[in-house]
Amino acid sequence: MPKPLNWILLPLSPGTVSGELARLPAINATGFRTPLSSRVLSKPESERTLDRVRPARGSSPLRSVRGKLPILLTKHDSFRVAGKLSGALALSMSNHLTPRLRHLLHFISPHNPICPPSPERIDCYNSAMSRPIAITSLLVEAHLKCPTKCWLFSQGESGSGNTYADWVRTQHKTYRAAGLKYVAESIAGDGYIASKPEPMKLKTAEWRLAVDFVAQAQNSTSTLQMLERAPSEGRGKTAALVPIRFLFMNKLTRDDKLVLAFDALVLSQMVGDQIEYGKIVHGDNHTVLKVKTGALAKDLRTLMRKTAALIANDSPPDLVLNRHCVECEFRAQCRQKAIEKDDLSLLAGMTSKERKTYNSKGIFTINSLSYTFRARRRPKRMAGKREKYHHSLKALAIRDHKIHIVGRPEFKLEGTPVYLDVEALPDRDFYYLIGVRVKTPDNVVQYSLWADSADDERRIWTKFLGILSEVEKPLLIHYGSFETTFLRRMCQRYGELPEESILASAIRSAVNLLSVVFAQVYFPAYSNSLKDIASWLGFVWSKPMLFCPNSIACRAQWELSPEPSTKHRLVSYNADD
């Protein structure tokens, strides 16, 4: 009889093991994060290997289970992956295995893990492995923003220290309460509203609206903010079920519709009937948007598969900073980890595709990237074209703590500089503060044009044009495209200026300093934002807590309670900019 190996054979289907394999921290679909001793066996070698495994007493031969995917577990002290075989995967019995996997292996052989399992214990193992972790609407919504945020929520963690994130939660809670009252008055009619009704009585229920309805199906669960039982369209037909969500934002995104589609999918699986559409009540005017959830089904199922694999893993996904970080409750801790790792995602201008390209070349840190820069002389045919942006030179500037300049940036001040910075509520397309600083030969004059409401926007725009008309040869200077958009929208909203006028010429010739800096001046900062560059140059903001979207929360606070101190904070912050 062939000598048996110290392996255990588990004949499992590929779908059964995929979720648990995602829990092993050293396995990566694109390669190993740490050097591992591994060897991929050829098909003849793998068949000979499988033949050497002693079958369980009384069980069928190994050849009868080769149609499924077996797992071979070795009892080596260190973690090893022998490589994907022809229908087999070899993993070691080490401390890298998750507690859940160790517990499941106990079903198979509680006393001797090398002993081959019996068919009964294999069934027990398959049953235990088929119990996935529940996917909730909170996890789906978080995964749309950031995989790391989704994983942290699945572990029961809660972030803190982000004023904007706290404000958003408060706004959602307040708007939801007001939205429930609005919908109850406009839709309920003669029907009454039920709170947390029983799921088993949906077809025979008499309520028109239900609040906090819990829908559960398979491995998904969702607490519907509101559920409507629309009247049946004909005799013998059941009432249509319509999930409703409340969002305080005026502008909706595809992500908001996907979360609603998740509510509809879980509900449809629970009742065994198709949910045709859902509703989103949003904005200042409680606008009702009807969303056909079926059109989002394909994208939603893909998202759910990714979410299931993510939360099934005991180790967090690779940390990648993105645009959502500024409004995330985990921002501080994630950024600190990224700085400790010197991660490439700290470079705000680097896209995901570019980062993956660098990773495929073995470059994972900013320090490593800095050594790849090579200064080259540009050919004459490229003299008239703009230099491309070099992430490696940005990394070099950060490493050396020096400013690097490419070419000869030109910037001419022909006229009187007028510095411009505006504050707005992007969700409402409302510009409430125009900051203007005019430099004269004698002194510097600061103007702060404040709008109490959207009706005052025209007034402060007209006043801004009046200030500009009094300046001799005005040259507007701003930083970033936000002010460029502001100037264009104001002209479209309140009338175009005469083509040959001084004001129209000043707006057309406005200088965006960021376009001068980009790809020509590399500051030792992670991004080209005004805050990062000015902070490196030594400037200190008097109101640093209003950075990023926190000014939006501050403005909302002023609208609820118009305190002079709150307005002064925003005006001072704008003046510093």
Side-chain angles (χ1 to χ4, degrees):
M1 180 178 293
K3 181 180 179 182
L5 300 177
N6 291 331
W7 291 352
I8 181 171
L9 178 67
L10 309 181
L12 306 171
S13 63
T16 306
V17 301
S18 59
E20 194 61 36
L21 289 183
R23 293 173 170 268
L24 298 173
I27 293 182
N28 191 318
T30 59
F32 300 119
R33 286 180 284 182
T34 56
L36 300 174
S37 175
S38 62
R39 184 169 73 92
V40 179
L41 304 181
S42 63
K43 185 175 181 179
E45 288 178 318
S46 63
E47 290 181 352
R48 288 197 299 269
T49 299
L50 292 176
D51 288 338
R52 293 176 63 187
V53 179
R54 179 183 297 173
R57 191 171 188 179
S59 62
S60 59
L62 293 176
R63 297 183 185 276
S64 63
V65 296
R66 281 203 185 132
K68 299 181 180 180
L69 177 64
I71 297 181
L72 302 177
L73 295 166
T74 70
K75 66 167 188 175
H76 293 183
D77 293 334
S78 61
F79 185 75
R80 297 171 183 271
V81 177
K84 289 187 177 180
L85 313 178
S86 299
L89 186 67
L91 304 175
S92 73
M93 292 284 293
S94 72
N95 291 331
H96 287 271
L97 298 179
T98 64
R100 181 169 182 243
L101 182 55
R102 287 182 173 277
H103 177 67
L104 294 176
L105 290 175
H106 181 77
F107 283 120
I108 301 169
S109 182
H111 303 294
N112 183 5
I114 303 176
C115 177
S118 64
E120 294 78 9
R121 291 190 175 183
I122 288 176
D123 293 339
C124 185
Y125 179 89
N126 286 334
S127 175
M129 288 283 285
S130 63
R131 302 171 192 160
I133 301 175
I135 303 174
T136 65
S137 56
L138 175 65
L139 297 180
V140 170
E141 184 177 6
H143 195 189
L144 289 167
K145 302 290 191 301
C146 172
T148 299
K149 182 175 182 178
C150 175
W151 187 86
L152 290 173
F153 276 151
S154 71
Q155 301 298 308
E157 297 190 25
S158 58
S160 60
N162 192 319
T163 304
Y164 183 77
D166 297 337
W167 174 77
V168 168
R169 280 194 295 269
T170 303
Q171 287 292 103
H172 277 305
K173 184 177 180 180
T174 304
Y175 186 85
R176 179 176 176 271
L180 290 174
K181 183 178 179 181
Y182 171 81
V183 173
E185 294 175 352
S186 58
I187 297 180
D190 297 332
Y192 69 91
I193 302 175
S195 178
K196 297 182 179 180
E198 296 183 17
M200 301 304 295
K201 297 182 180 180
L202 282 178
K203 295 183 178 180
T204 59
E206 298 180 357
W207 47 263
R208 178 69 187 276
L209 296 172
V211 180
D212 294 331
F213 180 84
V214 179
Q216 292 180 333
Q218 297 180 1
N219 62 332
S220 305
T221 179
S222 180
T223 301
L224 309 185
Q225 296 179 353
M226 179 172 276
L227 180 61
E228 176 188 0
R229 291 183 71 255
S232 59
E233 298 180 354
R235 187 175 182 181
K237 295 185 178 181
T238 58
L241 299 176
V242 182
I244 302 176
R245 292 186 66 85
F246 299 91
L247 298 172
F248 74 92
M249 292 85 70
N250 289 279
K251 297 179 180 179
L252 298 179
T253 65
R254 183 176 175 82
D255 292 352
D256 300 323
K257 298 176 183 178
L258 278 171
V259 177
L260 176 66
F262 174 78
D263 292 343
L265 178 62
V266 177
L267 182 62
S268 65
Q269 291 176 348
M270 187 186 74
V271 300
D273 194 10
Q274 183 69 26
I275 304 299
E276 299 292 341
Y277 65 93
K279 295 179 181 179
I280 299 179
V281 180
H282 69 100
D284 300 332
N285 299 323
H286 293 95
T287 304
V288 180
L289 177 66
K290 192 174 180 179
V291 180
K292 293 183 178 179
T293 57
L296 303 169
K298 183 178 179 180
D299 293 341
L300 178 61
R301 293 183 188 279
T302 301
L303 174 64
M304 291 179 64
R305 284 196 297 269
K306 293 180 179 179
T307 304
L310 178 68
I311 64 179
N313 202 330
D314 282 348
S315 59
D318 292 336
L319 179 63
V320 177
L321 303 183
N322 58 30
R323 292 185 177 182
H324 176 68
C325 291
V326 295
E327 54 189 68
C328 178
E329 49 267 59
F330 300 104
R331 179 178 185 269
Q333 65 187 72
C334 289
R335 187 169 183 83
Q336 182 60 35
K337 290 180 180 179
I339 292 175
E340 293 173 357
K341 292 171 55 181
D342 195 27
D343 193 77
L344 288 179
S345 63
L346 286 166
L347 299 178
M350 183 178 293
T351 63
S352 175
K353 183 178 180 180
E354 290 172 329
R355 186 173 58 255
K356 290 178 180 178
T357 300
Y358 284 122
N359 291 345
S360 66
K361 298 177 181 179
I363 301 173
F364 296 91
T365 65
I366 296 176
N367 187 62
S368 300
L369 179 62
S370 66
Y371 288 98
T372 65
F373 176 73
R374 297 292 182 271
R376 294 179 175 86
R377 179 175 297 181
R378 301 193 72 193
K380 292 183 179 180
R381 67 177 185 276
M382 301 291 292
K385 297 184 179 180
R386 191 178 182 88
E387 180 73 30
K388 71 174 185 178
Y389 189 85
H390 298 282
H391 294 293
S392 55
L393 185 54
K394 184 72 168 178
L396 180 61
I398 295 173
R399 190 193 76 186
D400 294 343
H401 299 283
K402 294 179 180 179
I403 300 175
H404 290 265
I405 299 178
V406 176
R408 297 178 179 179
E410 295 183 359
F411 175 58
K412 296 181 180 180
L413 287 174
E414 297 179 350
T416 305
V418 179
Y419 300 95
L420 172 68
D421 188 84
V422 298
E423 307 296 335
L425 299 178
D427 183 58
R428 293 159 54 183
D429 288 332
F430 167 41
Y431 297 92
Y432 65 87
L433 178 57
I434 304 176
V436 183
R437 179 167 294 201
V438 183
K439 185 177 181 181
T440 63
D442 300 328
N443 58 2
V444 176
V445 182
Q446 172 72 35
Y447 299 92
S448 297
L449 311 180
W450 178 272
D452 290 339
S453 64
D455 296 334
D456 292 336
E457 189 181 68
R458 177 190 288 270
R459 176 182 59 80
I460 63 174
W461 169 248
T462 304
K463 193 170 182 179
F464 165 73
L465 295 178
I467 295 172
L468 206 60
S469 63
E470 296 176 357
V471 179
E472 183 180 359
K473 293 183 179 180
L475 177 63
L476 280 172
I477 301 175
H478 58 89
Y479 194 91
S481 61
F482 193 77
E483 282 71 22
T484 304
T485 304
F486 160 75
L487 294 173
R488 184 181 68 253
R489 286 183 176 177
M490 290 298 99
C491 290
Q492 294 173 351
R493 193 172 296 176
Y494 302 116
E496 295 286 347
L497 300 172
E499 189 70 21
E500 302 299 328
S501 65
I502 297 177
L503 294 178
S505 177
I507 291 176
R508 279 197 309 269
S509 59
V511 178
N512 181 2
L513 284 180
L514 180 57
S515 64
V516 178
V517 171
F518 184 78
Q520 297 187 91
V521 183
Y522 292 81
F523 289 92
Y526 291 125
S527 73
N528 282 333
S529 69
L530 182 64
K531 305 298 189 297
D532 282 355
I533 293 177
S535 298
W536 185 85
L537 293 173
F539 185 82
V540 179
W541 267 258
S542 60
K543 307 295 181 183
M545 292 302 295
L546 295 182
F547 279 9
C548 302
N550 291 342
S551 60
I552 298 176
C554 187
R555 167 70 191 198
Q557 179 185 352
W558 179 86
E559 291 183 350
L560 292 175
S561 178
E563 296 290 338
S565 58
T566 306
K567 177 180 177 179
H568 176 71
R569 290 174 59 199
L570 288 168
V571 171
S572 299
Y573 168 71
N574 176 260
D576 288 345
D577 281 353

